[in-house]
RNA sequence: GCUCCUGUAGUGUAGCGGCCAAUCAUGAAGCCCUCUCGAGGCUUCGACACGGGUCCAAAUCCCGUCGGGAGCACCA
């Protein structure tokens, strides 16, 4: 045999520095502003993959420290999304239940002289930082700082009048690392704690504290957090804590997709989108609804790896992976978009049969029998071909000659090869109206063969149309969501 | 402006000093097969950003240029 040996490549994530079997602890830490979208699935899958590899612990931590950007439903939606993705969470925390901890730690930092309470005008404070200069509050004595902190906690300052700040290096060459805000005052009620608290931690404080207290060994996150890692290091150092290993993967640009939760939310509110699972969005819910399999998403991110290069997300590549998964399990059905009616004469009755899946004949056949008034429908597009070519084959049934009504022209399959006869999908009068919701928000309407009613799988292929996920199936109406071609 | 990250085919990825006239997937083109424009088989297309250096030897190391991205928020 001359067959070339093909090198098969296995896609595996690189090992994690410092990872010990059974001892890793990682986390997924979303802000509960909405459900997860395709962008969030990367960090979720990567953390899950490593946690499984090292038999470690994976924590879900809701970072709800900004009361103004919380959707209460997200606390339920996010775990549902992770569950669909196949991400196993071992423990969950909600930061809004831990405010006292952050307050205590901040007080300690102030006591150590590593934090201060600033009452300057925000712009002035920022401007001074630009110039590597400290504001007057920074160097006040510790006991005065503590008094200010108490006053802040007791409500002695209004919103925007005071902040607690962690000192770093005011002259740090990287302006992004100089002194950062630890706590601020917000009057807006928090969906979970109401008006009980009005001093809210900023993520650099709460993340550093929680990553330590929750025992993180490794933190995987986007490159956009690189500067935050530097900032958080100061908190770790002040308390003498050991920092986890960090991995920063590159940013992902996801084209042609609406991801911003605030935008989606607004469109839902305005009635433009049907909900969080609107096919036009890139939410996990929309992926699920379309018939994208979680295994495809997982494979996509594993193959993408964890490099810190910025990447462009490719729907084509994801579709390719998903097609590998759904093609073998998707039975074939005829869907006729924009149906055109043809009556057939010149024959008594017509019989035909076709396998549910060409590669799996053992699954059974669809049996066709057309008698009485012999009426078929083909798509508007195929109808044009029919009138031009004058002859066409109804796949798995018979050939037709063009005229009105159409004329039966035998059942010789070999004509396809001999004279380039085109086979088209068709349905009979027993077909069912079917709407396919497309990913651009449009609807493809037509008829689908009625044998689909006994189909058990949600995912099927409409031949020469594409894969779809059946959403609603009853004898009067079928609704499906378009997956991909 | 300052600081940081980063540059292998259209996209993603392997390679990290000689095994590279560079891997695999996806994509595109063609053929075969198939009663689908799906799947499968075969073939083809297509990349080491550029310029210097180090070295017997560089996609791999160093420097510069150029390109892409992020941060400099009382968002996460």
């Amino acid at each position: 045999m001359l067959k070339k040996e093909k090198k098969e490549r296995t896609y595996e994530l690189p090992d994690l520095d410092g990872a010990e079997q059974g001892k890793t602890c990682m986390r997924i830490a979303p802000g509960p502003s909405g459900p997860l979208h395709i962008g969030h699935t990367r960090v979720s899958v990567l953390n899950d993959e490593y946690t499984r590899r090292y038999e470690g612990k994976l924590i879900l931590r809701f970072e709800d420290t900004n009361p103004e950007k919380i959707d209460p439903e997200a606390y339920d939606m996010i775990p549902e999304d992770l569950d669909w993705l196949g991400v196993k969470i071992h423990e969950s925390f909600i930061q809004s239940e831990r405010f006292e901890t952050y307050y205590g730690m901040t007080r300690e930092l102030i006591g150590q002289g590593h934090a201060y309470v600033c009452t300057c005008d925000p712009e002035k404070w920022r401007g001074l930082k630009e110039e590597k200069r400290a504001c007057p509050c920074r160097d006040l004595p510790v006991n005065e700082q503590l008094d200010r902190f108490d006053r802040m906690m007791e409500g002695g300052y209004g919103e925007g009048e005071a902040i607690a700040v962690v000192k770093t290096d005011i002259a740090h060459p990287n302006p992004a690392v100089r002194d950062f805000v630890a706590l601020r005052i917000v009057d807006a009620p928090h969906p979970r704690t109401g008006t009980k608290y009005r001093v809210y931690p900023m993520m650099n404080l709460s993340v550093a504290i929680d990553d330590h207290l929750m025992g993180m060994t490794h933190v995987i996150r986007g490159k956009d957090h690189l500067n935050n890692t530097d900032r958080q290091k100061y908190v770790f150092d002040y308390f003498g804590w050991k920092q986890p290993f960090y991995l920063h993967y590159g940013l992902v640009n996801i084209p042609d997709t609406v991801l911003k939760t605030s935008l989606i939310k607004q469109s839902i509110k305005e009635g433009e989108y049907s909900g969080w699972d609107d096919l036009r969005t890139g939410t996990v819910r929309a992926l699920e609804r379309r018939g994208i399999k979680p295994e495809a998403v997982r494979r996509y991110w594993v193959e993408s790896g964890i490099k810190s290069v910025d990447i462009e997300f490719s729907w084509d590549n994801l579709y390719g992976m998903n097609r590998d998964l759904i093609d073998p399990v998707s039975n074939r059905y005829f869907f006729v978009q924009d149906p055109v009616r043809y009556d057939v004469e010149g024959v008594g009755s017509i019989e035909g049969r076709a396998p549910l899946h060409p590669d799996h004949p053992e699954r059974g056949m669809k049996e066709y029998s057309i008698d009485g008034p012999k009426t078929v429908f083909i798509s508007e597009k195929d109808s044009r071909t029919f009138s031009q070519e004058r002859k066409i084959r109804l796949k798995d049934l018979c050939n037709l000659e063009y005229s009105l009504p159409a004329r039966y022209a035998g059942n010789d399959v070999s004509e396809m090869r001999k004279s380039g006869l085109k086979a088209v999908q068709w349905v009979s009068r027993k077909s069912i109206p079917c709407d396919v919701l497309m990913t651009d928000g449009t609807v493809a309407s037509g008829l689908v063969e009625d044998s689909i009613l006994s189909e058990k799988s949600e995912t099927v292929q409409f031949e020469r149309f594409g894969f779809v996920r059946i959403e609603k199936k009853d004898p009067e109406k079928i609704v499906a969501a378009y997956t991909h071609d």
Side-chain angles (χ1 to χ4, degrees):
Chain A
M1 293 298 277
L2 295 170
K3 209 143 199 179
K4 252 193 287 181
E5 278 297 321
K6 235 185 188 173
K7 283 186 218 163
E8 278 291 326
R9 237 190 78 213
T10 51
Y11 291 88
E12 258 178 38
L13 262 3
D15 281 324
L16 241 32
D17 278 345
E20 282 181 67
Q21 202 60 229
K23 289 189 182 160
T24 61
C25 181
M26 293 182 255
R27 42 68 162 190
I28 298 169
S33 57
L36 263 27
H37 60 63
I38 183 76
H40 297 115
T41 61
R42 185 176 193 185
V43 75
S44 308
V45 166
L46 289 174
N47 275 292
D48 187 62
E49 283 287 321
Y50 279 120
T51 297
R52 286 172 195 274
R53 176 181 302 184
Y54 295 110
E55 298 170 298
K57 183 160 93 168
L58 183 57
I59 286 173
L60 170 63
R61 188 173 71 210
F62 291 101
E63 306 211 325
D64 57 345
T65 53
N66 179 2
E68 291 172 305
K69 277 193 186 166
I70 295 170
D71 181 341
E73 288 180 62
Y75 295 94
D76 294 322
M77 293 193 286
I78 290 171
E80 285 167 13
D81 293 343
L82 290 172
D83 198 49
W84 175 80
L85 259 181
V87 170
K88 191 174 178 210
I89 299 296
H90 299 90
E91 202 173 349
S92 296
F93 291 96
I94 297 177
Q95 288 192 318
S96 60
E97 292 172 358
R98 305 168 54 77
F99 288 156
E100 306 289 352
T101 303
Y102 311 129
Y103 299 155
M105 293 290 183
T106 307
R107 170 172 273 282
E108 265 190 64
L109 285 172
I110 294 173
Q112 294 168 0
H114 289 133
Y116 58 100
V117 174
C118 173
T119 57
C120 295
D121 174 72
E123 277 180 42
K124 184 185 157 201
W125 178 72
R126 243 178 280 139
L128 286 168
K129 267 207 310 181
E130 283 283 305
E131 299 164 26
K132 304 183 178 179
R133 287 165 55 206
C135 79
C137 308
R138 195 180 198 263
D139 297 320
L140 259 24
V142 167
N143 41 342
E144 196 166 331
Q145 301 288 9
L146 288 169
D147 287 347
R148 284 175 161 215
F149 182 66
D150 290 339
R151 190 174 156 197
M152 187 176 170
M153 296 306 300
E154 286 155 11
Y157 295 107
E159 190 172 295
E161 285 177 4
I163 48 172
V165 179
V166 172
K167 292 183 189 173
T168 64
D169 174 358
I170 196 68
H172 197 287
N174 184 350
V177 179
R178 295 174 202 153
D179 289 19
F180 63 87
V181 182
L183 298 169
R184 61 169 178 157
I185 297 164
V186 182
D187 282 326
H190 189 288
R192 290 185 70 90
T193 58
T195 51
K196 184 173 173 192
Y197 302 99
R198 53 195 293 278
V199 176
Y200 290 91
M202 303 295 289
M203 72 98 120
N204 278 306
L205 180 81
S206 53
V207 164
I209 291 172
D210 280 349
D211 280 348
H212 172 257
L213 294 181
M214 295 173 189
M216 294 310 147
T217 59
H218 297 78
V219 172
I220 296 173
R221 55 181 174 188
K223 221 167 76 170
D224 49 327
H225 285 294
L226 236 22
N227 285 320
N228 291 324
T229 301
D230 290 343
R231 298 202 260 217
Q232 289 160 24
K233 186 174 192 305
Y234 283 86
V235 175
F236 277 84
D237 288 348
Y238 291 151
F239 285 115
W241 298 335
K242 184 178 178 290
Q243 266 197 303
F245 290 89
Y246 290 92
L247 255 81
H248 297 95
Y249 58 78
L251 265 35
V252 187
N253 181 35
I254 301 171
D256 313 317
T257 313
V258 187
L259 292 178
K260 214 158 180 257
T261 42
S262 56
L263 284 179
I264 299 172
K265 196 180 232 172
Q266 194 188 336
S267 296
I268 294 172
K269 210 169 166 186
E270 288 166 358
E272 162 80 7
Y273 288 169
S274 59
W276 287 112
D277 61 355
D278 191 287
L279 266 23
R280 283 163 285 185
T281 71
T283 62
V284 165
R285 278 144 206 268
L287 295 177
E288 177 179 6
R289 189 174 170 202
R290 290 177 57 178
I292 304 289
K293 298 294 174 195
E295 294 81 2
V297 176
R298 182 173 291 261
R299 191 181 138 199
Y300 187 92
W301 292 125
V302 170
E303 291 194 13
S304 294
I306 195 166
K307 299 198 302 186
S308 43
V309 208
D310 297 339
I311 62 173
E312 177 92 359
F313 182 83
S314 163
W315 287 104
D316 269 348
N317 287 14
L318 178 67
Y319 292 162
M321 294 172 192
N322 197 57
R323 197 177 294 116
D324 284 348
L325 293 166
I326 64 173
D327 182 76
V329 298
S330 301
N331 287 333
R332 273 46 174 175
Y333 292 94
F334 289 177
F335 167 71
V336 171
Q337 186 177 1
D338 302 325
V340 177
R341 171 181 171 156
Y342 284 90
D343 292 318
V344 182
E345 61 163 31
V347 67
S349 70
I350 325 173
E351 313 280 326
R353 64 207 300 260
L356 280 168
H357 194 298
D359 304 331
H360 300 277
E362 74 283 358
R363 285 185 204 163
M365 308 290 280
K366 300 178 286 186
E367 304 283 348
Y368 303 123
S369 175
I370 309 219
D371 46 24
K374 284 163 286 296
T375 303
V376 297
F377 300 87
I378 61 176
S379 75
E380 199 256 314
K381 215 170 147 191
D382 289 336
S383 173
R384 264 184 277 139
T385 307
F386 188 21
S387 64
Q388 276 161 24
E389 310 271 324
R390 311 310 286 178
K391 204 165 181 186
I392 209 160
R393 172 161 180 82
L394 302 180
K395 185 171 176 266
D396 306 312
L397 190 72
C398 68
N399 302 340
L400 288 185
E401 248 164 50
Y402 188 82
S403 71
L404 294 173
R407 179 168 297 275
Y408 179 79
N411 189 15
D412 184 2
V413 184
S414 67
E415 275 198 60
M416 287 181 54
R417 201 164 303 149
K418 279 186 283 194
S419 55
L421 188 67
K422 281 191 180 128
V424 302
Q425 281 62 33
W426 58 275
V427 295
S428 73
R429 281 183 306 153
K430 284 190 289 183
S431 55
I432 302 165
C434 176
D435 280 350
V436 181
L437 311 176
M438 306 302 286
T439 49
D440 62 0
T442 60
V443 177
S445 304
L447 297 166
V448 68
E449 51 184 316
D450 63 341
S451 53
I452 200 168
L453 289 173
S454 43
E455 173 60 45
K456 299 227 168 42
S457 165
E458 280 191 340
T459 312
V460 299
Q461 189 201 51
F462 285 172
E463 282 190 23
R464 273 173 74 238
F465 181 81
F467 291 92
V468 302
R469 187 181 145 270
I470 305 296
E471 204 158 72
K472 180 175 157 225
K473 195 165 69 182
D474 62 49
E476 282 74 47
K477 181 86 179 179
I478 306 286
V479 179
Y482 187 74
T483 310
H484 47 66
D485 58 15

